[in-house]
Amino acid sequence: MRRKKEYFTCGANDPQPVSVSVSRRVAFSEVDAMAVAWHGNYLRFFEAAHTELMQKIGLGYEEYYAADLAAPMVQSHVDYLSPLKLDELFTVTATMYFNEGARLDIAYQITGEDGRICARGYTVQMFFGLHDHEVFILVPPLVEKMHNRWRNGEFHE
């Protein structure tokens, strides 16, 4: 059964979601014997847009490391809707939804060159100390700084 509604929603007082899109072509090494993108690569496709989104909001690996913070994925999900084919140009959009908690909620959409939606999905990340491995129940300072920038509209200029 395919999900008909959004994975995450915006609260009435939440800042608008932040999105980034990246485009690329399906490589030979990413397809199976039928020249269709192998299902395991879709999370890798999500990761390309995720990386650009994190750079945009100031939560890249350098920032995490400097803050002694790790943000592992604790959930991931993919809905496969239409296959991508060898050499097909596609776009991945990553959209982060505001959350007051100590987590990052990101939805993804992969669109084929003809405009069809090929896949949708989401990831959830939580936080812990990079060296002491203590789990953050409250929002870490680095993420709170990003939240303040988001509330101030810096990501939609």
Side-chain angles (χ1 to χ4, degrees), residues 114-127:
D114 60 0
R116 76 192 189 288
I117 298 173
C118 298
R120 296 177 67 237
Y122 69 88
T123 59
V124 175
Q125 291 173 261
M126 305 295 279
F127 302 99

Side-chain angles (χ1 to χ4, degrees), residues 6-149:
E6 298 300 316
Y7 299 112
F8 306 109
T9 59
C10 285
N13 297 318
D14 291 344
Q16 287 300 303
V18 179
S19 294
V20 170
S21 295
V22 297
S23 295
R24 58 182 291 266
R25 197 169 294 283
V26 178
F28 178 77
S29 63
E30 297 169 326
V31 299
D32 61 19
M34 296 173 287
V36 171
W38 179 64
H39 71 278
N41 284 323
Y42 284 74
L43 286 170
R44 289 181 56 225
F45 300 156
F46 288 177
E47 182 68 18
H50 180 273
T51 299
E52 294 304 316
L53 178 61
M54 293 300 104
Q55 291 299 316
K56 178 177 182 173
I57 64 171
L59 294 181
Y61 287 108
E62 286 184 28
E63 289 84 3
Y64 280 131
Y65 189 78
D68 191 33
L69 190 63
M73 299 287 176
V74 296
Q75 290 182 10
S76 63
H77 176 82
V78 182
D79 287 314
Y80 303 94
L81 306 172
S82 179
L84 287 167
K85 298 182 174 87
L86 176 63
D87 290 329
E88 182 174 359
L89 188 62
F90 66 96
T91 301
V92 183
T93 301
T95 303
M96 187 165 69
Y97 289 79
F98 192 82
N99 188 310
E100 291 284 352
R103 60 186 275 164
L104 300 178
D105 296 335
I106 303 172
Y108 304 88
Q109 182 168 294
I110 298 177
T111 307
E113 60 190 315
D114 60 0
R116 76 192 189 288
I117 298 173
C118 298
R120 296 177 67 237
Y122 69 88
T123 59
V124 175
Q125 291 173 261
M126 305 295 279
F127 302 99
F128 69 85
L130 187 60
H131 294 96
D132 65 11
H133 295 212
E134 289 291 321
V135 174
F136 279 81
I137 296 171
L138 301 175
V139 178
L142 176 67
V143 178
E144 186 58 39
K145 179 180 171 185
M146 180 273 296
H147 279 177
N148 290 334
R149 292 178 60 211

